[in-house]
Amino acid sequence: TDISPNGELAPIVITGTTSGIGAALARQLAKEGRELILVNRSRDRTQATLDAIEQSGTQATIHIVEADLSTTNAVRSAADQISQLTPQLSVLFNNAGVLLGDLAYASSGNEMHYQVNTVAPYLLSRLLKPLLQTAAEAGNGPGPAGQAVIVNTNSAGVDFPGTLQVEELRKPTKFRKLVGPYAHSKLAL
């Protein structure tokens, strides 16, 4: 990861670090000594990633924020907790996501893929915008001139829908595992 122009990076937030890309990213950034804030549904599920980081012998500072991103209240709570941990963020990796085997709905009434894969990253980005702006103003981000960065993990699923069918996001009329609500939620992201 490139260092910011002033030589420092503000803390980095990564959602969904219990496996896959998020876990690998957390391990790599921890090796580089970055201060990380890992956002996952449970500390228990985060433990394997923490164990791997600890075994690597890194001295990185790691914070855990528990949040079920399927609820807007939990996303807001996560943003509040992150704001209490740091006044600025250099990077927000919106990595958490779901790929379900059937239709499911969040407490908001939104279909679960849309809620977790589209709404939660958007809301978290909006809520953390002041912390990202503070880092950018201080030149503590990895972007050009020290700007902070938001990275949204996507998938090849964005190619399946062809065009975004907005009316299918909240309340889909049909379900096909990879090419239905999941693909639409990733395309919307």
Side-chain angles (χ1 to χ4, degrees):
T1 310
D2 293 334
I3 300 294
S4 64
N6 71 11
E8 296 182 21
L9 275 180
I12 297 170
V13 170
I14 311 170
T15 66
T17 64
T18 60
S19 63
I21 292 169
L25 180 62
R27 289 190 306 267
Q28 179 60 42
L29 292 172
K31 279 184 194 173
E32 295 176 14
R34 306 293 182 214
E35 182 176 354
L36 303 177
I37 302 170
L38 308 181
V39 181
N40 295 302
R41 276 183 294 189
S42 76
R43 183 172 184 88
D44 290 342
R45 293 197 60 212
T46 308
Q47 196 58 51
T49 302
L50 294 174
D51 291 346
I53 290 170
E54 186 177 301
Q55 290 171 2
S56 72
T58 182
Q59 299 299 312
T61 301
I62 311 286
H63 308 277
I64 305 299
V65 172
E66 289 186 61
D68 177 351
L69 300 180
S70 72
T71 71
T72 54
N73 286 341
V75 174
R76 291 179 192 286
S77 176
D80 288 344
Q81 291 175 61
I82 292 165
S83 296
Q84 291 172 17
L85 291 169
T86 183
Q88 56 180 297
L89 295 172
S90 62
V91 184
L92 167 59
F93 286 98
N94 284 311
N95 179 67
V98 297
L99 173 57
L100 304 174
D102 206 351
L103 283 176
Y105 290 88
S107 59
S108 64
N110 289 330
E111 196 279 329
M112 192 66 75
H113 291 94
Y114 175 60
Q115 184 68 36
V116 175
N117 299 346
T118 310
V119 174
Y122 172 79
L123 181 58
L124 190 60
S125 297
R126 296 289 300 181
L127 294 169
L128 295 178
K129 185 178 177 181
L131 303 179
L132 294 158
Q133 286 178 318
T134 300
E137 290 166 4
N140 291 338
Q147 293 175 333
V149 176
I150 297 173
V151 178
N152 294 317
T153 302
N154 224 318
S155 92
V158 301
D159 295 332
F160 296 130
T163 59
L164 182 62
Q165 297 172 5
V166 175
E167 65 280 356
E168 287 289 311
L169 288 170
R170 290 196 73 235
K171 303 254 189 225
T173 56
K174 58 188 172 207
F175 182 86
R176 289 178 55 203
K177 185 172 181 180
L178 186 60
V179 299
Y182 170 78
H184 278 93
S185 71
K186 288 300 194 174
L187 183 57
L189 179 63

